[in-house]
């Protein structure tokens, strides 16, 4: 039985990524977490802390893909605008929810430290299901097919553990990578295009040049497929392609 | 005179970023390169090597922002689809262009090594202006307000040098960052919201928690403004805000 491909989008929310202040690492973490569950990331976007932009992106992506995973903008400060934007995108009410408040109260040891700013983190859109935060407690939430997580990488990784079991994946796409030292893309391009054409969509091939100054270079040849047998054949085909150029390719991870 | 803000979008093209195989670093490089020229990145997208997706993203972004900068998909292999997608987005013809072919011929020392695959890198949409590639010669190109660059970071950085002089920037937004060790977001959120409200859009404030396990944590408080005087005042306000919580903030880079 051929399983269907399940596609997700990642939405990174925050001025700090667009300004270059922060190097995002969440996209890669999410992609690697979802792949073995049978979900491929088909698109990603980065938007600033502007409600209308967040709303527009959420609505565009949630209608187009099976899942949307967002990171960022759910903290206690004024520039955290994601929860309200998600509520607006779905056209539902948002307010402090008792289950979320209880989590924060327990964490902040009674209501004394739980000031108005922190209580913002208990604002959850109506109908959403909380996502556990094992690191700093303030929860994320799931609204329909949209998973709303923190931007701090360690917290985001913790939240993914609670997201995983809620995901219904499809075909698991695996990949093999052949490292060809001193191989040049232009010399294997025709052969690679032949492999792609013959694979008829069952395997997709990619070619990624690398440079290690001063004088080391080469190509990573990648094959991706949900069909294990076809992927095994593709690996051999890529090794043969490298060999046809006098290069003994090396099978590497990732 | 108040200069207008010039906004750009970044479009990262390639399956390898969405699969998590490759950690993108180009967005941050571009953001930091453009900021001193008076251009802010207002949005970024990552799309796969699928022509229709690339075309749709280019058309959405080029109409919305002053500039679009793309990376990836301009090599010699079958999965390099950006040049054709740009031509399709603008509705113009694309073919091998003599100026681009001449660059490749010189690099590959005559036509012998310049096979059909490499010649793909001389395919340039009609009306585009070449972008110099000081690293591996195969040029990028500028089509109207869209700058098409390579995905390999070292080549992309080289191409940016040729893009810079073609950019007409506006207001230069600068930022200051205060590092507050052991400061907690929830304790400064109200004060920070006050500063944001009083700044009336001239300064924007952001708050970014950091964690250094096992027990070091704090907040980076960031102010951004195109008004140097207002930014200086904001810096003092942020230091005072930290001090009000018993923390001597430290002015740091970035």
């Amino acid at each position: 039985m051929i399983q269907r491909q399940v596609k997700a989008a990642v939405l990174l929310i925050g001025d700090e990524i667009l300004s270059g202040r922060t190097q995002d690492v969440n996209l890669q973490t999410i992609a690697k977490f979802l792949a073995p569950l049978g979900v491929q990331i088909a698109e990603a976007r980065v938007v600033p802390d502007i409600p209308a932009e967040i709303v527009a992106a959420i609505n565009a992506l949630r209608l187009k893909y099976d899942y949307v995973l967002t990171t960022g903008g759910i903290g206690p400060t004024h520039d955290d605008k994601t929860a309200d934007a998600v509520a607006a995108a779905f056209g539902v009410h948002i307010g402090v929810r008792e289950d979320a408040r209880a989590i924060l109260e327990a964490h902040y040891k009674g209501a004394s430290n739980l000031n108005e700013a922190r209580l913002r983190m208990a604002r959850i859109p109506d109908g959403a299901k909380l996502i556990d935060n094992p690191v700093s407690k303030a929860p994320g939430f799931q609204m329909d097919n949209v998973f709303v997580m923190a931007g701090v990488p360690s917290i985001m990784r913790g939240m993914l553990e609670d997201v995983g079991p809620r995901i219904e994946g499809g075909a698991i796409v695996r990949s093999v990578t052949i490292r060809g030292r001193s191989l040049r893309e232009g010399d294997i391009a025709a052969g690679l295009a032949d492999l792609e054409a013959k694979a008829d969509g069952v395997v997709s091939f990619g070619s990624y040049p690398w440079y290690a100054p001063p004088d080391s270079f080469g190509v990573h040849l990648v094959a991706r497929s949900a069909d294990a047998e076809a992927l095994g054949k593709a690996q051999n085909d890529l090794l043969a392609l490298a060999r046809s150029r006098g290069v003994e390719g090396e099978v590497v991870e990732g």
Side-chain angles (χ1 to χ4, degrees), chain A:
Chain A
M1 195 190 83
I2 295 173
Q3 279 189 293
R4 83 177 184 99
Q5 299 228 339
V6 173
K7 304 278 189 188
V10 170
L11 179 61
L12 310 171
I13 300 165
D15 294 348
E16 72 278 19
I17 300 170
L18 292 168
S19 73
R21 209 194 85 77
T22 300
Q23 166 67 57
D24 168 67
V25 294
N26 288 331
L27 172 56
Q28 187 176 43
T29 302
I30 294 170
K32 289 186 170 181
F33 180 86
L34 290 182
L37 302 180
V39 179
Q40 282 80 54
I41 306 299
E43 180 175 346
R45 296 193 190 183
V46 192
V47 294
D49 301 315
I50 298 175
E53 297 292 335
I54 305 172
V55 171
I58 287 172
N59 278 334
L61 297 173
R62 72 185 177 94
L63 298 174
K64 187 168 178 186
Y65 300 106
D66 298 297
Y67 297 106
V68 178
L69 295 96
T70 81
T71 72
I74 60 168
T77 53
H78 69 278
D79 56 339
D80 290 303
K81 296 169 178 172
T82 300
D84 285 83
V86 172
F90 281 87
V92 300
H93 170 263
I94 182 171
V96 170
R97 228 176 55 189
E98 288 313 311
D99 51 353
R101 181 209 287 264
I103 291 169
L104 295 175
E105 277 180 354
H107 181 57
Y108 291 105
K109 310 282 187 292
S112 62
N113 263 325
L114 188 55
N115 59 22
E116 199 181 337
R118 292 200 170 96
L119 210 50
R120 270 173 57 82
M121 296 190 288
R123 287 168 56 78
I124 305 289
D126 285 2
K129 185 181 171 193
L130 301 187
I131 294 174
D132 184 47
N133 171 353
V135 178
S136 58
K137 299 305 167 190
F141 60 85
Q142 172 190 357
M143 186 77 199
D144 195 5
N145 63 338
V146 179
F147 295 89
V148 177
M149 302 182 290
V152 176
S154 57
I155 302 176
M156 200 285 295
R157 285 194 301 272
M159 288 182 169
L160 273 181
E161 298 300 326
D162 195 29
V163 169
R166 307 186 197 182
I167 295 273
E168 197 169 331
I172 298 174
V173 175
R174 296 200 164 81
S175 69
V176 296
T177 299
I178 306 294
R179 184 178 173 86
R181 184 178 289 274
S182 303
L183 204 56
R184 295 171 194 277
E185 275 199 306
D187 291 327
I188 50 81
L192 198 65
D194 278 351
L195 291 179
E196 174 87 16
K198 280 179 193 151
D200 201 23
V202 175
V203 184
S204 71
F205 293 87
S207 161
Y208 307 105
W210 54 269
Y211 301 91
D215 54 7
S216 180
F217 68 90
V219 175
H220 283 127
L221 298 170
V222 176
R224 295 183 195 90
S225 180
D227 179 327
E229 197 178 323
L231 195 61
K233 181 180 178 311
Q235 177 172 316
N236 291 335
D237 289 343
L238 289 177
L239 287 168
L241 178 59
R243 208 170 290 128
S244 75
R245 292 294 164 179
V247 171
E248 203 54 46
E250 180 192 358
V251 181
V252 296
E253 292 297 309

